[in-house]
PDB file of all heavy atoms in Angstrom:
ATOM      1  N   ALA T  55       0.420  36.854 -17.802  1.00 95.00           N
ATOM      2  CA  ALA T  55      -0.561  37.367 -18.769  1.00 95.00           C
ATOM      3  C   ALA T  55      -0.069  36.931 -20.141  1.00 95.00           C
ATOM      4  O   ALA T  55       1.106  36.577 -20.292  1.00 95.00           O
ATOM      5  CB  ALA T  55      -0.683  38.881 -18.665  1.00 95.00           C
ATOM      6  N   PRO T  56      -0.940  36.924 -21.155  1.00 94.00           N
ATOM      7  CA  PRO T  56      -0.535  36.381 -22.459  1.00 94.00           C
ATOM      8  C   PRO T  56       0.752  36.960 -23.024  1.00 94.00           C
ATOM      9  O   PRO T  56       1.512  36.236 -23.686  1.00 94.00           O
ATOM     10  CB  PRO T  56      -1.741  36.717 -23.351  1.00 94.00           C
ATOM     11  CG  PRO T  56      -2.898  36.706 -22.416  1.00 94.00           C
ATOM     12  CD  PRO T  56      -2.379  37.291 -21.138  1.00 94.00           C
ATOM     13  N   ASP T  57       1.020  38.240 -22.765  1.00 95.00           N
ATOM     14  CA  ASP T  57       2.244  38.851 -23.292  1.00 95.00           C
ATOM     15  C   ASP T  57       3.085  39.489 -22.185  1.00 95.00           C
ATOM     16  O   ASP T  57       3.855  40.416 -22.419  1.00 95.00           O
ATOM     17  CB  ASP T  57       1.906  39.901 -24.354  1.00 95.00           C
ATOM     18  CG  ASP T  57       1.028  41.026 -23.807  1.00 95.00           C
ATOM     19  OD1 ASP T  57       0.509  40.880 -22.674  1.00 95.00           O
ATOM     20  OD2 ASP T  57       0.872  42.045 -24.500  1.00 95.00           O
ATOM     21  N   MET T  58       2.957  38.985 -20.959  1.00 96.00           N
ATOM     22  CA  MET T  58       3.671  39.539 -19.805  1.00 96.00           C
ATOM     23  C   MET T  58       4.348  38.426 -19.017  1.00 96.00           C
ATOM     24  O   MET T  58       3.759  37.358 -18.786  1.00 96.00           O
ATOM     25  CB  MET T  58       2.710  40.281 -18.877  1.00 96.00           C
ATOM     26  CG  MET T  58       2.078  41.529 -19.471  1.00 96.00           C
ATOM     27  SD  MET T  58       3.175  42.944 -19.339  1.00 96.00           S
ATOM     28  CE  MET T  58       2.069  44.262 -19.897  1.00 96.00           C
ATOM     29  N   VAL T  59       5.556  38.704 -18.564  1.00 97.00           N
ATOM     30  CA  VAL T  59       6.302  37.782 -17.716  1.00 97.00           C
ATOM     31  C   VAL T  59       6.661  38.483 -16.421  1.00 97.00           C
ATOM     32  O   VAL T  59       7.134  39.620 -16.420  1.00 97.00           O
ATOM     33  CB  VAL T  59       7.590  37.296 -18.423  1.00 97.00           C
ATOM     34  CG1 VAL T  59       8.543  36.619 -17.437  1.00 97.00           C
ATOM     35  CG2 VAL T  59       7.237  36.329 -19.549  1.00 97.00           C
ATOM     36  N   LEU T  60       6.427  37.799 -15.316  1.00 98.00           N
ATOM     37  CA  LEU T  60       6.795  38.291 -13.992  1.00 98.00           C
ATOM     38  C   LEU T  60       8.092  37.610 -13.581  1.00 98.00           C
ATOM     39  O   LEU T  60       8.229  36.394 -13.700  1.00 98.00           O
ATOM     40  CB  LEU T  60       5.691  37.970 -12.988  1.00 98.00           C
ATOM     41  CG  LEU T  60       5.902  38.387 -11.527  1.00 98.00           C
ATOM     42  CD1 LEU T  60       6.049  39.901 -11.406  1.00 98.00           C
ATOM     43  CD2 LEU T  60       4.752  37.894 -10.668  1.00 98.00           C
ATOM     44  N   THR T  61       9.047  38.401 -13.098  1.00 98.00           N
ATOM     45  CA  THR T  61      10.323  37.853 -12.684  1.00 98.00           C
ATOM     46  C   THR T  61      10.851  38.624 -11.490  1.00 98.00           C
ATOM     47  O   THR T  61      10.183  39.536 -10.972  1.00 98.00           O
ATOM     48  CB  THR T  61      11.332  37.881 -13.860  1.00 98.00           C
ATOM     49  OG1 THR T  61      12.517  37.152 -13.494  1.00 98.00           O
ATOM     50  CG2 THR T  61      11.712  39.300 -14.239  1.00 98.00           C
ATOM     51  N   ALA T  62      12.045  38.258 -11.016  1.00 96.00           N
ATOM     52  CA  ALA T  62      12.674  38.957  -9.902  1.00 96.00           C
ATOM     53  C   ALA T  62      13.405  40.193 -10.419  1.00 96.00           C
ATOM     54  O   ALA T  62      14.143  40.116 -11.414  1.00 96.00           O
ATOM     55  CB  ALA T  62      13.638  38.032  -9.174  1.00 96.00           C
ATOM     56  N   GLU T  63      13.233  41.312  -9.740  1.00 95.00           N
ATOM     57  CA  GLU T  63      13.817  42.572 -10.216  1.00 95.00           C
ATOM     58  C   GLU T  63      15.334  42.537 -10.215  1.00 95.00           C
ATOM     59  O   GLU T  63      15.980  43.108 -11.097  1.00 95.00           O
ATOM     60  CB  GLU T  63      13.294  43.726  -9.338  1.00 95.00           C
ATOM     61  CG  GLU T  63      13.575  45.121  -9.891  1.00 95.00           C
ATOM     62  CD  GLU T  63      14.924  45.683  -9.460  1.00 95.00           C
ATOM     63  OE1 GLU T  63      15.544  45.139  -8.508  1.00 95.00           O
ATOM     64  OE2 GLU T  63      15.372  46.672 -10.070  1.00 95.00           O
ATOM     65  N   HIS T  64      15.927  41.860  -9.242  1.00 94.00           N
ATOM     66  CA  HIS T  64      17.390  41.920  -9.118  1.00 94.00           C
ATOM     67  C   HIS T  64      18.113  41.189 -10.244  1.00 94.00           C
ATOM     68  O   HIS T  64      19.324  41.376 -10.415  1.00 94.00           O
ATOM     69  CB  HIS T  64      17.838  41.358  -7.753  1.00 94.00           C
ATOM     70  CG  HIS T  64      17.879  39.869  -7.674  1.00 94.00           C
ATOM     71  ND1 HIS T  64      16.774  39.105  -7.341  1.00 94.00           N
ATOM     72  CD2 HIS T  64      18.893  38.972  -7.877  1.00 94.00           C
ATOM     73  CE1 HIS T  64      17.117  37.820  -7.337  1.00 94.00           C
ATOM     74  NE2 HIS T  64      18.381  37.716  -7.660  1.00 94.00           N
ATOM     75  N   VAL T  65      17.410  40.374 -11.024  1.00 95.00           N
ATOM     76  CA  VAL T  65      18.069  39.662 -12.121  1.00 95.00           C
ATOM     77  C   VAL T  65      18.112  40.503 -13.396  1.00 95.00           C
ATOM     78  O   VAL T  65      18.706  40.078 -14.393  1.00 95.00           O
ATOM     79  CB  VAL T  65      17.378  38.311 -12.415  1.00 95.00           C
ATOM     80  CG1 VAL T  65      17.260  37.484 -11.149  1.00 95.00           C
ATOM     81  CG2 VAL T  65      16.007  38.497 -13.060  1.00 95.00           C
ATOM     82  N   LEU T  66      17.504  41.685 -13.377  1.00 95.00           N
ATOM     83  CA  LEU T  66      17.509  42.558 -14.557  1.00 95.00           C
ATOM     84  C   LEU T  66      18.685  43.526 -14.453  1.00 95.00           C
ATOM     85  O   LEU T  66      18.594  44.577 -13.832  1.00 95.00           O
ATOM     86  CB  LEU T  66      16.193  43.337 -14.659  1.00 95.00           C
ATOM     87  CG  LEU T  66      14.901  42.514 -14.724  1.00 95.00           C
ATOM     88  CD1 LEU T  66      13.705  43.434 -14.904  1.00 95.00           C
ATOM     89  CD2 LEU T  66      14.960  41.477 -15.840  1.00 95.00           C
ATOM     90  N   GLU T  67      19.791  43.157 -15.064  1.00 91.00           N
ATOM     91  CA  GLU T  67      20.973  44.009 -15.042  1.00 91.00           C
ATOM     92  C   GLU T  67      21.021  44.941 -16.245  1.00 91.00           C
ATOM     93  O   GLU T  67      21.958  45.726 -16.390  1.00 91.00           O
ATOM     94  CB  GLU T  67      22.233  43.146 -14.989  1.00 91.00           C
ATOM     95  CG  GLU T  67      22.351  42.360 -13.683  1.00 91.00           C
ATOM     96  CD  GLU T  67      23.609  41.523 -13.608  1.00 91.00           C
ATOM     97  OE1 GLU T  67      24.344  41.466 -14.620  1.00 91.00           O
ATOM     98  OE2 GLU T  67      23.875  40.943 -12.537  1.00 91.00           O
ATOM     99  N   LYS T  68      20.029  44.837 -17.116  1.00 86.00           N
ATOM    100  CA  LYS T  68      19.937  45.732 -18.263  1.00 86.00           C
ATOM    101  C   LYS T  68      18.481  45.955 -18.591  1.00 86.00           C
ATOM    102  O   LYS T  68      17.611  45.168 -18.206  1.00 86.00           O
ATOM    103  CB  LYS T  68      20.684  45.157 -19.470  1.00 86.00           C
ATOM    104  CG  LYS T  68      20.218  43.765 -19.889  1.00 86.00           C
ATOM    105  CD  LYS T  68      21.069  43.218 -21.022  1.00 86.00           C
ATOM    106  CE  LYS T  68      20.625  41.811 -21.438  1.00 86.00           C
ATOM    107  NZ  LYS T  68      21.427  41.291 -22.562  1.00 86.00           N
ATOM    108  N   ASN T  69      18.200  47.054 -19.275  1.00 81.00           N
ATOM    109  CA  ASN T  69      16.827  47.390 -19.658  1.00 81.00           C
ATOM    110  C   ASN T  69      16.551  47.123 -21.127  1.00 81.00           C
ATOM    111  O   ASN T  69      15.407  47.187 -21.565  1.00 81.00           O
ATOM    112  CB  ASN T  69      16.540  48.858 -19.351  1.00 81.00           C
ATOM    113  CG  ASN T  69      16.456  49.130 -17.861  1.00 81.00           C
ATOM    114  OD1 ASN T  69      15.816  48.379 -17.133  1.00 81.00           O
ATOM    115  ND2 ASN T  69      17.107  50.186 -17.410  1.00 81.00           N
ATOM    116  N   GLU T  70      17.595  46.854 -21.895  1.00 82.00           N
ATOM    117  CA  GLU T  70      17.449  46.620 -23.329  1.00 82.00           C
ATOM    118  C   GLU T  70      18.072  45.271 -23.699  1.00 82.00           C
ATOM    119  O   GLU T  70      18.821  44.686 -22.924  1.00 82.00           O
ATOM    120  CB  GLU T  70      18.114  47.752 -24.123  1.00 82.00           C
ATOM    121  CG  GLU T  70      17.492  49.122 -23.874  1.00 82.00           C
ATOM    122  CD  GLU T  70      18.188  50.213 -24.648  1.00 82.00           C
ATOM    123  OE1 GLU T  70      19.273  49.927 -25.210  1.00 82.00           O
ATOM    124  OE2 GLU T  70      17.667  51.340 -24.697  1.00 82.00           O
ATOM    125  N   ASP T  71      17.746  44.817 -24.891  1.00 87.00           N
ATOM    126  CA  ASP T  71      18.287  43.557 -25.413  1.00 87.00           C
ATOM    127  C   ASP T  71      17.995  42.385 -24.474  1.00 87.00           C
ATOM    128  O   ASP T  71      18.827  41.496 -24.260  1.00 87.00           O
ATOM    129  CB  ASP T  71      19.793  43.665 -25.656  1.00 87.00           C
ATOM    130  CG  ASP T  71      20.141  44.739 -26.677  1.00 87.00           C
ATOM    131  OD1 ASP T  71      19.376  44.894 -27.647  1.00 87.00           O
ATOM    132  OD2 ASP T  71      21.150  45.428 -26.484  1.00 87.00           O
ATOM    133  N   ILE T  72      16.796  42.380 -23.910  1.00 95.00           N
ATOM    134  CA  ILE T  72      16.355  41.285 -23.051  1.00 95.00           C
ATOM    135  C   ILE T  72      15.634  40.253 -23.910  1.00 95.00           C
ATOM    136  O   ILE T  72      14.803  40.599 -24.754  1.00 95.00           O
ATOM    137  CB  ILE T  72      15.422  41.792 -21.941  1.00 95.00           C
ATOM    138  CG1 ILE T  72      16.167  42.758 -21.025  1.00 95.00           C
ATOM    139  CG2 ILE T  72      14.851  40.638 -21.128  1.00 95.00           C
ATOM    140  CD1 ILE T  72      15.272  43.434 -20.007  1.00 95.00           C
ATOM    141  N   THR T  73      15.953  38.998 -23.700  1.00 95.00           N
ATOM    142  CA  THR T  73      15.236  37.934 -24.401  1.00 95.00           C
ATOM    143  C   THR T  73      14.654  36.955 -23.389  1.00 95.00           C
ATOM    144  O   THR T  73      15.206  36.751 -22.304  1.00 95.00           O
ATOM    145  CB  THR T  73      16.148  37.165 -25.374  1.00 95.00           C
ATOM    146  OG1 THR T  73      17.248  36.622 -24.663  1.00 95.00           O
ATOM    147  CG2 THR T  73      16.637  38.087 -26.480  1.00 95.00           C
ATOM    148  N   VAL T  74      13.536  36.384 -23.769  1.00 96.00           N
ATOM    149  CA  VAL T  74      12.866  35.375 -22.956  1.00 96.00           C
ATOM    150  C   VAL T  74      12.747  34.109 -23.792  1.00 96.00           C
ATOM    151  O   VAL T  74      12.349  34.161 -24.957  1.00 96.00           O
ATOM    152  CB  VAL T  74      11.469  35.861 -22.524  1.00 96.00           C
ATOM    153  CG1 VAL T  74      10.654  34.728 -21.914  1.00 96.00           C
ATOM    154  CG2 VAL T  74      11.594  37.016 -21.530  1.00 96.00           C
ATOM    155  N   VAL T  75      13.122  32.979 -23.212  1.00 95.00           N
ATOM    156  CA  VAL T  75      13.001  31.692 -23.898  1.00 95.00           C
ATOM    157  C   VAL T  75      11.768  30.988 -23.354  1.00 95.00           C
ATOM    158  O   VAL T  75      11.677  30.695 -22.158  1.00 95.00           O
ATOM    159  CB  VAL T  75      14.250  30.815 -23.683  1.00 95.00           C
ATOM    160  CG1 VAL T  75      14.085  29.490 -24.417  1.00 95.00           C
ATOM    161  CG2 VAL T  75      15.498  31.543 -24.159  1.00 95.00           C
ATOM    162  N   LEU T  76      10.814  30.744 -24.238  1.00 95.00           N
ATOM    163  CA  LEU T  76       9.553  30.122 -23.836  1.00 95.00           C
ATOM    164  C   LEU T  76       9.710  28.613 -23.652  1.00 95.00           C
ATOM    165  O   LEU T  76      10.749  28.039 -23.948  1.00 95.00           O
ATOM    166  CB  LEU T  76       8.485  30.419 -24.887  1.00 95.00           C
ATOM    167  CG  LEU T  76       8.253  31.894 -25.229  1.00 95.00           C
ATOM    168  CD1 LEU T  76       7.158  32.017 -26.283  1.00 95.00           C
ATOM    169  CD2 LEU T  76       7.910  32.694 -23.986  1.00 95.00           C
TER     170      LEU T  76
END
Side-chain angles (χ1 to χ4, degrees):
D57 60 349
M58 294 278 188
V59 166
L60 179 61
T61 189
E63 192 272 345
H64 80 273
V65 307
L66 303 183
E67 294 181 354
K68 56 184 179 179
N69 290 315
E70 298 179 349
D71 299 323
I72 297 173
T73 58
V74 169
V75 180
L76 305 180

